[in-house]
Amino acid sequence: MARRLISPAAACQGCGLVKAGFLGVVSPLHYQRLPSASSKRGSSGNNYSSSRASLTKEVSHWTRTITKPSLSLHSSKFLSKRTSCSVATEPPPAATEEPEMDLPKEIFLKDYKKPDYLFDTVDLEFQLGDEKTIVTSKIGVSPGNEVGTTSPLALHGRDLKLLSVKVNGTELKSDEYTVDPRHLTILTPPAGVFNLEIVTEIYPQLNTSLEGLYRSTGNFCTQCEAEGFRKITYFQDRPDVMAKYTCRIEGDKTLYPVLLSNGNLIKQGDLEGGKHYALWEDPFKKPCYLFALVAGQLECREDSFVTCSGRKVTLRIWTPAQDLPKTSHAMYSLKEAMKWDEEVFGLEYDLDLFNIVVVPDFNMGAMENKSLNVFQSRLVLASPEAATDGDYAAILGVIGHEYFHNWTGNRVTCRDWFQLTLKEGLTVFRDQEFSSDLGCRTVKRIADVSKLRSYQFPQDAGPMAHPIRPHSYIKMDNFYTVTVYEKGAEVVRMYKTMFGVSGFRKGMDLYFQRHDGQAVTCEDFYAAMCDANNAQLPNFLQWYSQAGTPTVKVSSSYDESSQTFSLKFSQEVPPTPGQLLKEPMFIPVAIGLVDSTGKDMPLTTIYSDGMLKTLSNDGQPIFTTVLQFKKKEEEFVFNNVSERPVPSLLRGYSAPIRLDSDLTESDLYFLLANDSDEFNRWEAGQVLARKLMLSLVADFQQQKTLALNPKFVDGLRAILRSTSLDKEFIAKAITLPGLGEIMDMMPVADPDAVHAVRTFIKKELAFQLKDDLLAAVTSNRSSEAYAFNHDSVARRALKNTCLAYLVSLNEPEVTELALSEYHSATNMTEQFAALAALSQNPGQVRDEALLDFYSKWQHDYLVVSKWFALQATSDIPGNVANVQKLLAHPAFDMRNPNKVYSLIGGFCGSPVSFHAKDGSGYKFLGEVVLQLDKINPQVASRMVSAFSRWRRYDETRQALAKAQLEMIISANGLSENVYEIASKSLAA
């Protein structure tokens, strides 16, 4: 879907073609450092309905008399800090009768049943108003099966006031239906086809959850995925109920001159009393989660695209007038995505109009509503002076992602929400490929794998571990995770690895041929891939049902007499909650053999599982092959190997696993210098760096003197001096693994020790490579106008990475150098990178630079979010207190998700500050989570997930974190979103 998971690190990254998305939470999909929105992969043995009888739920449900509320003191305080990107936070009207508190209910994939009733047509009418909005839905209902049904028709609903309900034009009596806080049930519907009309009253101006219909900076906007449509009207809010929609919108013409919905504009006109209307029709069947409505004071950038069949499509990006100049890159990205999807997958856009709307208040990154995509501002608006290369790359990727959903998500959608990876994993893979083709494929692959390791691997190893298709959930919103998205994309990538480009395309073609206009399952995609290639993939479906990251061990041996080289593989999938015993996975391992001169050796035959396989490619030599590792243990023997090779394992990262090989340190340095697979060159350096860092952490913990391996320094010096390597690749190759990646490899995570070691290595490298780093900064300056292309991005990436190393020395001359770069920068990428470098070192220079930056950019809330994130992610001593003070900053607003992700999510991504030994970081987050939960449970649940791996730390930290989880779980009125994650974390 379009709801890419967001993290604040995106705001801090000034270089690199990285992509927006989840975790995330999401995606962008360089969304680093925000704890992923941990989703639940509950086992059948877990029963949350009995685990906490005292849990109180949101009580903002009402079905009778509504009284207009007055502002509370709490609301007034927030309104005094209201900025240009916030929504009102008044409490909803109190119910006349408090509904009975219900318990969290766990929903299981195994319990899926087809709907008893189908909806064929849905005609919606909205009468928008400042105080209330009236929604009328007219639904054509038919039985869900040929024999019909006598079952009641149960409709979902939340925060709705029911005004009337009619069947075939006759208003129902009170004993013919029931209403509770979550459902409207028609007790005895007519047999056969009938018409249902429901009128509800809703209050978008009070809706701080940003689900359903809400107000953002005076404009109306919807967000219906996953279960927001039930906050608009009573409905079967499930993705397998697909219908054709019309939507009539009425509103004040002065306040809401633009009225948008899905599909084609059929009619519009003026009404009495200064109002006007617009009627929209979507000719394609869709589930209700793809419904969208936007109304407000917006202007558009208009362009067009001519499809491969010659149709002209009008393209419009809607935003407040002052932001129109910042939409040119988004329009470029949209046109490139449309062109790419035609060329690579043969997929043509199917309507004559495509709209994108930009809003400042949005829970996720973007939403792929049919023909009316809604985006958070940060993922559309860009100008060289206010957006970084990372922002430009994120926009490219997410614009592509949402557009690609038109086929992978909209035309073919999910049968149920457990199948979310069917559309999200597939579409993430597609946007990764799109960004790779428009940038540098190796660098993009490195960025995607780094995100997987930093965020998905820890989720796979924690209490929130779940397969890419979870087995159960309490709150669906918790399932927009790096596992479903990024690991899901890796599973899709494995099909391409095994079947090749043409085979993957054949599988995609068959998938659309079979399932266009349907709501389907992951098995349907698997079957299309296998059938199109006349292949079988034994135990491949384990990737959809089995949680955890497989660890693959590889040992090698060479027999000189027979000229054979053997690789023995073994795999183990660790136990995860609810899945203690695991079956072997189907793991494709791309491999090459490198000879003593650094050249790839031709591969002729492989013996495995009692069979000899001849490798051929139309008479051309093969240098990389894919081994299908399917058992717990397997051996592969290469014949005609003239000398002992160095194996290049898992080329291109062909499977999402942890690899443990018997490659020696000398082998790794050899691959770092020679491997033809650039990803594996980078990987060899990362393995060396991880081993070095873990060794020095042990030394630090034993209070030994730290010393850097000269060979490691020489290896990085050689890369830095290379004139043949891509500059962005060099920037990636000389960047050390993050703190989280190293802590994840330790039996007991020690953030202080890892931080101390990483700081030591960085400074030591800066000291020993100072001349080379200075030369790189100097040689990569440019006075040319900003351009977002790979060469320019790569130049800036290398310059900024080298500058950050140098400033870590905290020497006067390099500080002056960074200040000079900061003041002379002509674009945000270089200005922000210089600021980030200066902010490493506490003191007057840092404080003055941060103050200067804010004074320059306080008028631009997107840049201010970067400023918040930079301070939040800082590891300087005492930063907990600094972040606490920033909560009271006039530019911060707890109701705006982007600012919460930047400041609070960014703070969670600083291991040193969040895991402060005195527990101050935990206490800070615990208090904020409870405050957020009253405003926006979705955002609160993403924050609380930072606690999920509390057992990975020492006993002191465990006790402090546990106390906060217990405090959260005992809070009165806790949302299901936060309860699900906090309770599972506590039970780990």
Side-chain angles (χ1 to χ4, degrees):
M1 84 188 219
R3 300 175 65 191
R4 289 296 294 189
L5 310 174
I6 301 181
S7 96
C12 288
Q13 294 180 349
C15 59
L17 273 173
V18 284
K19 154 186 120 149
F22 130 55
L23 303 245
V25 215
V26 207
S27 309
L29 305 165
H30 56 312
Y31 300 148
Q32 311 315 19
R33 304 190 83 154
L34 176 62
S36 56
S38 304
S39 82
K40 150 166 193 5
R41 192 226 70 71
S43 67
S44 57
N46 292 333
N47 186 352
Y48 283 88
S49 64
S50 62
S51 63
R52 184 169 174 263
S54 63
L55 177 71
T56 55
K57 307 293 293 303
E58 293 179 67
V59 294
S60 55
H61 313 292
W62 57 94
T63 59
R64 294 183 175 84
T65 305
I66 304 296
T67 58
K68 184 177 178 181
S70 60
L71 287 179
S72 65
L73 291 175
H74 174 77
S75 304
S76 301
K77 181 181 75 171
F78 273 97
L79 287 174
S80 69
K81 297 193 295 181
R82 185 176 174 86
T83 68
S84 62
C85 54
S86 61
V87 294
T89 185
E90 299 98 315
T96 305
E97 294 181 11
E98 292 253 329
E100 183 178 344
M101 304 306 176
D102 36 337
L103 299 171
K105 181 182 179 182
E106 192 165 16
I107 300 169
F108 293 90
L109 170 61
K110 63 181 177 60
D111 295 333
Y112 170 82
K113 294 180 181 178
K114 292 182 178 180
D116 290 328
Y117 296 90
L118 299 178
F119 291 173
D120 303 310
T121 59
V122 179
D123 299 317
L124 298 170
E125 181 178 317
F126 290 81
Q127 297 176 44
L128 305 176
D130 287 343
E131 299 295 328
K132 62 186 178 183
T133 291
I134 305 299
V135 182
T136 302
S137 67
K138 298 178 181 179
I139 306 168
V141 186
S142 62
N145 54 69
E146 293 181 359
V147 298
T149 180
T150 58
S151 301
L153 171 56
L155 307 174
H156 303 100
R158 292 287 303 275
D159 302 348
L160 305 174
K161 179 183 178 182
L162 179 64
L163 299 182
S164 69
V165 53
K166 297 179 181 179
V167 170
N168 289 332
T170 301
E171 187 159 354
L172 296 186
K173 299 176 183 178
S174 59
D175 61 352
E176 293 178 302
Y177 66 92
T178 62
V179 181
D180 63 37
R182 293 174 183 261
H183 297 92
L184 164 64
T185 303
I186 313 299
L187 299 176
T188 55
V193 176
F194 64 94
N195 295 316
L196 176 65
E197 180 178 330
I198 299 170
V199 183
T200 56
E201 186 173 289
I202 58 175
Y203 306 86
Q205 75 277 13
L206 306 180
N207 184 0
T208 63
S209 71
L210 310 186
E211 295 178 278
L213 180 66
Y214 64 94
R215 289 273 293 277
S216 171
T217 57
N219 296 330
F220 285 94
C221 182
T222 56
Q223 171 54 44
C224 294
E225 186 175 357
E227 297 173 339
F229 194 78
R230 64 189 62 186
K231 287 192 171 188
I232 295 174
T233 187
Y234 289 102
F235 203 80
Q236 289 189 114
D237 192 355
R238 47 189 289 172
D240 56 353
V241 175
M242 302 177 70
K244 292 186 177 181
Y245 284 67
T246 66
C247 178
R248 188 179 192 274
I249 312 167
E250 292 184 12
D252 185 287
K253 189 171 184 178
T254 301
L255 295 175
Y256 316 113
V258 176
L259 304 174
L260 304 173
S261 190
N262 310 85
N264 300 314
L265 180 62
I266 302 301
K267 191 187 299 183
Q268 61 183 331
D270 293 334
L271 300 170
E272 292 181 357
K275 294 186 177 183
H276 70 143
Y277 77 96
L279 177 63
W280 293 82
E281 180 183 60
D282 188 347
F284 293 93
K285 289 173 60 178
K286 65 173 180 280
C288 65
Y289 82 84
L290 290 172
F291 170 78
L293 178 154
V294 173
Q297 299 187 26
L298 302 166
E299 294 188 16
C300 73
R301 174 184 294 272
E302 183 170 312
D303 206 329
S304 63
F305 178 82
V306 178
T307 69
C308 55
S309 67
R311 274 191 310 106
K312 182 179 179 181
V313 180
T314 300
L315 311 176
R316 293 179 181 142
I317 299 179
W318 297 89
T319 188
Q322 68 270 19
D323 290 328
L324 273 183
K326 296 182 180 181
T327 59
S328 59
H329 176 65
M331 184 63 79
Y332 158 81
S333 300
L334 175 59
K335 294 173 73 172
E336 287 296 316
M338 298 177 80
K339 178 183 175 184
W340 183 88
D341 216 16
E342 289 183 348
E343 293 176 347
V344 176
F345 288 105
L347 299 175
E348 181 180 0
Y349 186 62
D350 48 13
L351 290 170
D352 296 329
L353 176 64
F354 189 90
N355 284 312
I356 288 174
V357 177
V358 181
V359 295
D361 301 288
F362 208 64
N363 282 334
M364 295 287 190
M367 180 62 215
E368 73 269 20
N369 318 295
K370 180 74 179 186
S371 75
L372 180 54
N373 289 183
V374 180
F375 274 70
Q376 190 224 83
S377 306
R378 187 173 62 81
L379 295 173
V380 172
L381 305 180
S383 62
E385 64 277 4
T388 65
D389 288 340
D391 295 326
Y392 274 80
I395 290 167
L396 179 75
V398 182
I399 290 282
H401 180 97
E402 303 314 321
Y403 173 75
F404 300 146
H405 265 310
N406 186 59
W407 282 91
T408 51
N410 296 3
R411 289 284 290 258
V412 183
T413 195
C414 300
R415 185 196 72 177
D416 54 74
W417 287 121
F418 296 100
Q419 318 295 328
L420 181 62
T421 198
L422 174 71
K423 72 184 185 76
E424 292 304 338
L426 175 56
T427 306
V428 170
F429 167 77
R430 276 156 50 72
D431 79 52
Q432 289 175 350
E433 290 293 285
F434 169 61
S435 294
S436 295
D437 285 347
L438 268 66
C440 174
R441 180 164 289 274
T442 298
V443 169
K444 183 68 176 71
R445 189 69 184 129
I446 289 170
D448 292 336
V449 173
S450 295
K451 181 180 180 182
L452 191 78
R453 288 174 172 164
S454 296
Y455 303 101
Q456 197 281 318
F457 279 16
Q459 187 171 81
D460 246 356
M464 315 310 294
H466 56 278
I468 65 170
R469 179 171 61 184
H471 298 156
S472 69
Y473 61 82
I474 289 177
K475 194 66 176 172
M476 182 56 216
D477 299 323
N478 289 333
F479 272 84
Y480 291 85
T481 66
V482 283
T483 296
V484 169
Y485 278 68
E486 269 64 35
K487 186 175 182 178
E490 294 299 316
V491 172
V492 173
R493 187 174 296 278
M494 287 191 285
Y495 288 110
K496 183 183 177 186
T497 297
M498 291 178 292
F499 297 139
V501 173
S502 62
F504 186 79
R505 170 64 188 272
K506 286 195 296 183
M508 290 286 284
D509 289 347
L510 183 59
Y511 177 62
F512 295 123
Q513 178 185 326
R514 286 178 172 178
H515 302 298
D516 188 11
Q518 298 178 11
V520 300
T521 67
C522 295
E523 282 84 359
D524 292 316
F525 184 78
Y526 168 83
M529 281 290 160
C530 292
D531 293 350
N533 290 279
N534 193 28
Q536 293 183 338
L537 302 177
N539 61 323
F540 188 84
L541 286 172
Q542 295 283 5
W543 286 104
Y544 292 93
S545 61
Q546 199 159 261
T549 305
T551 295
V552 174
K553 294 185 177 181
V554 185
S555 60
S556 62
S557 61
Y558 178 68
D559 187 322
E560 187 175 5
S561 60
S562 62
Q563 292 196 334
T564 58
F565 180 68
S566 169
L567 290 173
K568 293 184 178 180
F569 288 78
S570 65
Q571 63 167 289
E572 181 178 354
V573 186
T576 54
Q579 289 187 331
L580 300 182
L581 300 177
K582 302 298 179 77
E583 296 296 323
M585 308 286 274
F586 184 107
I587 301 174
V589 181
I591 185 171
L593 304 180
V594 186
D595 68 19
S596 56
T597 69
K599 303 293 185 183
D600 281 342
M601 305 175 74
L603 309 176
T604 57
T605 57
I606 301 176
Y607 181 81
S608 67
D609 201 22
M611 298 180 62
L612 184 66
K613 179 181 179 181
T614 300
L615 303 177
S616 62
N617 182 25
D618 295 329
Q620 299 299 313
I622 289 178
F623 298 105
T624 299
T625 192
V626 178
L627 307 178
Q628 295 188 5
F629 174 33
K630 305 181 290 290
K631 302 177 181 177
K632 187 171 180 58
E633 295 182 350
E634 282 190 80
E635 182 177 14
F636 299 86
V637 180
F638 295 82
N639 299 306
N640 306 315
V641 182
S642 57
E643 61 173 293
R644 182 182 182 90
V646 176
S648 174
L649 302 166
L650 208 67
R651 284 185 158 176
Y653 199 66
S654 57
I657 64 171
R658 296 181 189 267
L659 182 65
D660 181 7
S661 75
D662 63 355
L663 289 171
T664 65
E665 188 175 284
S666 295
D667 291 335
L668 291 168
Y669 280 114
F670 177 79
L671 293 174
L672 178 64
N674 297 289
D675 202 328
S676 63
D677 185 90
E678 283 197 342
F679 177 88
N680 269 11
R681 290 188 71 172
W682 171 81
E683 178 73 328
Q686 292 294 295
V687 174
L688 288 165
R690 290 195 291 266
K691 289 183 175 182
L692 172 66
M693 292 175 73
L694 287 169
S695 174
L696 289 178
V697 165
D699 290 345
F700 179 86
Q701 291 172 328
Q702 298 169 32
Q703 298 183 333
K704 294 181 180 179
T705 302
L706 302 184
L708 204 53
N709 185 338
K711 197 172 182 181
F712 182 77
V713 179
D714 292 340
L716 293 195
R717 180 182 287 112
I719 291 174
L720 193 54
R721 291 180 175 179
S722 173
T723 57
S724 60
L725 292 173
D726 178 89
K727 289 183 177 181
E728 195 175 8
F729 175 83
I730 295 174
K732 295 286 187 186
I734 65 174
T735 299
L736 297 171
L739 272 63
E741 191 174 348
I742 302 303
M743 288 194 297
D744 202 40
M745 301 174 71
M746 301 174 66
V748 177
D750 186 342
D752 295 328
V754 177
H755 174 63
V757 164
R758 195 175 190 275
T759 300
F760 164 77
I761 297 175
K762 189 175 180 180
K763 287 186 176 181
E764 192 64 23
L765 287 172
F767 176 75
Q768 296 194 41
L769 301 175
K770 185 175 179 179
D771 290 343
D772 294 295
L773 294 168
L774 283 168
V777 170
T778 302
S779 63
N780 286 289
R781 289 194 182 105
S782 174
S783 59
E784 295 179 3
Y786 178 89
F788 180 71
N789 56 54
H790 179 65
D791 288 345
S792 298
V793 168
R795 175 186 58 75
R796 288 189 288 267
L798 180 55
K799 170 179 171 285
N800 294 338
T801 302
C802 292
L803 183 65
Y805 266 108
L806 288 166
V807 178
S808 70
L809 293 171
N810 204 13
E811 296 175 349
E813 65 269 26
V814 292
T815 300
E816 284 300 318
L817 172 65
L819 281 169
S820 175
E821 293 294 324
Y822 170 77
H823 288 297
S824 64
T826 58
N827 58 77
M828 179 56 70
T829 303
E830 293 177 305
Q831 184 181 59
F832 195 74
L835 179 67
L838 289 166
S839 70
Q840 298 176 86
N841 304 315
Q844 184 178 352
V845 172
R846 177 185 191 271
D847 295 343
E848 289 178 352
L850 286 169
L851 185 61
D852 178 77
F853 186 82
Y854 179 75
S855 67
K856 288 178 178 177
W857 293 104
Q858 58 185 305
H859 62 282
D860 190 320
Y861 67 90
L862 292 178
V863 179
V864 170
S865 288
K866 299 178 190 298
W867 181 76
F868 278 131
L870 180 60
Q871 295 171 85
T873 56
S874 175
D875 294 324
I876 65 170
N879 202 43
V880 177
N882 294 339
V883 175
Q884 285 176 318
K885 291 178 183 177
L886 286 171
L887 283 182
H889 194 281
F892 181 73
D893 190 335
M894 193 74 82
R895 295 157 298 176
N896 179 259
N898 196 44
K899 292 187 177 182
V900 173
Y901 297 148
S902 295
L903 183 60
I904 301 167
F907 172 76
C908 296
S910 169
V912 175
S913 298
F914 177 59
H915 298 291
K917 196 78 171 179
D918 63 359
S920 57
Y922 300 151
K923 186 174 185 295
F924 168 72
L925 182 63
E927 293 170 351
V928 167
V929 164
L930 291 182
Q931 185 180 0
L932 267 173
D933 194 44
K934 301 298 184 184
I935 301 170
N936 190 322
Q938 279 193 43
V939 176
S941 71
R942 290 180 195 116
M943 298 301 105
V944 79
S945 64
F947 283 116
S948 65
R949 301 193 73 201
W950 61 280
R951 290 190 184 275
R952 292 277 299 118
Y953 297 88
D954 58 81
E955 291 183 1
T956 299
R957 288 184 169 96
Q958 283 188 36
L960 293 166
K962 183 181 180 184
Q964 292 302 310
L965 282 169
E966 290 174 338
M967 183 270 293
I968 291 169
I969 211 72
S970 65
N972 187 41
L974 195 68
S975 71
E976 289 174 317
N977 303 68
V978 171
Y979 173 73
E980 178 171 24
I981 293 176
S983 62
K984 288 186 70 66
S985 299
L986 196 57

